[in-house]
């Protein structure tokens, strides 16, 4: 296993409200990875994503370090998401400067040829291999709901004025529902976690090319960041790339 991660404020925002964390044992092929995209006025989004990331790592670190199989960790993952939600929610209620803050979160616990993925919001996880690029997670967003009802095409959704409106976030309510996915992994595949600041500026075919076909995965994140910023960089941009 190899992994690379980066985050950037982009060209427009005054604060980087994204956060990422990586803890892994390359030789054992195990690790914990997550991306959070905060929201809220002033620096509240930055606070929310940082609190969420730290709380999740504290909750789950021992599980992956003990070498437990990801397929046995679903209950622990769900409990960790619940605890993280409580931390962010309580902080938002304790300080009026943080009122209404929240964050997306997509996390992956990897090991034993598996990845257990949890997500809330519209930060994404993708699997890339010789068959193409597939989105594992489903966005919790207004445009996703409209597409599922048949009211929007994917093309229309990508340009919809409310495409950044999410329907689920960590810390927005006292409780939260987390979606989970178990993915088998094999050598030669890639797992990508990213915030929507990347997806808004760079197409999935371009991401696939830079990661899988350009044959230099160690520099793919930097190339994708440059592409996103050259096209406007209208949001914070964060990604983690994991190679098997």
């Amino acid at each position: 296993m190899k992994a690379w991660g980066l985050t950037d404020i982009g060209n427009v925002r005054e604060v980087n409200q994204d956060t990422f964390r990586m803890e892994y044992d390359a030789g054992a092929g195990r690790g914990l990875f997550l991306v959070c995209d905060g929201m809220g006025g002033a620096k509240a989004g930055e606070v929310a994503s940082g609190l969420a990331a730290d709380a999740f790592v504290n909750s789950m670190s021992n599980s992956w370090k003990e070498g437990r199989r990801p397929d046995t960790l679903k209950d622990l993952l769900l409990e960790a998401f619940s605890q993280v939600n409580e931390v962010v929610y309580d902080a938002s209620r304790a300080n009026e400067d943080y009122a209404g803050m929240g964050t997306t979160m997509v996390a992956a616990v990897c090991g034993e040829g598996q990845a257990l993925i949890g997500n809330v919001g519209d930060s994404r996880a993708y699997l890339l291999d010789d068959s193409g690029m597939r989105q594992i997670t489903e966005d919790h967003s207004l445009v996703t709901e409209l597409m599922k009802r048949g009211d929007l095409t994917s093309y229309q959704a990508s340009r919809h004025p409310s495409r950044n409106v999410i329907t689920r976030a960590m810390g927005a309510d006292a409780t939260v529902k987390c979606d989970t996915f178990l993915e088998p992994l094999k050598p030669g595949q890639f797992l990508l976690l990213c915030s929507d600041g990347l997806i808004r500026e760079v197409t999935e075919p371009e991401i696939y090319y830079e990661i899988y076909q350009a044959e230099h995965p160690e520099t793919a994140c930097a190339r994708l960041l440059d592409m996103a910023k050259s096209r406007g960089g209208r949001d914070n941009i964060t990604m983690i790339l994991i190679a098997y």
Side-chain angles (χ1 to χ4, degrees), residues 15 17 38-52 85-103 170-173:
V15 176
Q17 297 188 326
M39 58 188 181
K43 293 187 176 181
E46 179 184 27
V47 171
S49 65
L51 283 173
N85 185 75
E86 184 176 347
V87 167
V88 179
Y89 180 75
D90 287 350
S92 73
R93 291 169 62 84
N95 187 327
E96 64 180 17
D97 292 336
Y98 301 155
M101 73 177 180
T103 184
M170 304 292 289
D173 297 298

Side-chain angles (χ1 to χ4, degrees), residues 41-114:
K43 293 187 176 181
E46 179 184 27
V47 171
S49 65
L51 283 173
D54 290 343
F56 186 80
V57 170
N58 289 339
S59 181
M60 292 296 294
S61 276
N62 288 338
S63 300
W64 80 262
K65 290 176 182 177
E66 292 168 354
R68 294 183 56 177
R69 289 175 56 90
D71 59 3
T72 69
L73 297 175
K74 181 178 177 179
D75 288 344
L76 284 177
L77 184 78
L78 291 173
E79 178 59 25
F81 267 76
S82 179
Q83 291 175 2
V84 170
N85 185 75
E86 184 176 347
V87 167
V88 179
Y89 180 75
D90 287 350
S92 73
R93 291 169 62 84
N95 187 327
E96 64 180 17
D97 292 336
Y98 301 155
M101 73 177 180
T103 184
T104 71
M105 188 161 75
V106 59
V109 183
C110 303
E112 303 295 324
Q114 299 176 330

Side-chain angles (χ1 to χ4, degrees), residues 5-224:
L6 56 75
T7 186
D8 191 275
I9 195 171
N11 299 335
V12 176
R13 300 297 179 96
E14 296 182 357
V15 176
N16 189 350
Q17 297 188 326
D18 288 1
T19 300
F20 76 95
R21 296 283 188 272
M22 303 193 304
E23 290 190 353
Y24 65 101
D25 182 333
R30 297 195 304 267
L32 177 68
F33 308 89
L34 69 92
V35 168
C36 296
D37 179 356
M39 58 188 181
K43 293 187 176 181
E46 179 184 27
V47 171
S49 65
L51 283 173
D54 290 343
F56 186 80
V57 170
N58 289 339
S59 181
M60 292 296 294
S61 276
N62 288 338
S63 300
W64 80 262
K65 290 176 182 177
E66 292 168 354
R68 294 183 56 177
R69 289 175 56 90
D71 59 3
T72 69
L73 297 175
K74 181 178 177 179
D75 288 344
L76 284 177
L77 184 78
L78 291 173
E79 178 59 25
F81 267 76
S82 179
Q83 291 175 2
V84 170
N85 185 75
E86 184 176 347
V87 167
V88 179
Y89 180 75
D90 287 350
S92 73
R93 291 169 62 84
N95 187 327
E96 64 180 17
D97 292 336
Y98 301 155
M101 73 177 180
T103 184
T104 71
M105 188 161 75
V106 59
V109 183
C110 303
E112 303 295 324
Q114 299 176 330
L116 177 64
I117 297 160
N119 87 291
V120 170
D122 63 354
S123 293
R124 296 180 178 180
Y126 287 96
L127 184 69
L128 299 86
D129 58 22
D130 57 7
S131 65
M133 177 173 173
R134 174 172 59 86
Q135 184 177 340
I136 298 169
T137 54
E138 180 179 282
D139 296 349
H140 303 134
S141 66
L142 176 61
V143 294
T144 297
E145 293 300 319
L146 292 173
M147 283 193 297
K148 288 167 70 173
R149 282 168 28 189
D151 294 335
L152 286 180
T153 66
S154 59
Y155 177 83
Q156 291 170 329
S158 68
R159 287 155 177 78
H160 197 279
S162 298
R163 63 186 178 276
N164 63 334
V165 176
I166 60 175
T167 56
R168 205 183 297 180
M170 304 292 289
D173 297 298
T175 60
V176 71
K177 180 181 178 182
C178 167
D179 293 345
T180 61
F181 309 85
L182 185 66
E183 287 288 330
L185 298 169
K186 60 184 179 181
Q189 291 183 318
F190 293 87
L191 191 64
L192 173 69
L193 308 182
C194 63
S195 64
D196 67 341
L198 174 65
I199 301 302
R200 286 190 192 182
E201 310 290 2
V202 187
T203 67
E204 291 182 4
E206 290 171 326
I207 294 171
Y208 181 68
Y209 175 82
E210 294 298 334
I211 292 174
Y212 198 82
Q213 295 178 318
E215 297 182 351
H216 295 287
E218 69 278 3
T219 57
C221 290
R223 294 196 306 272
L224 290 168

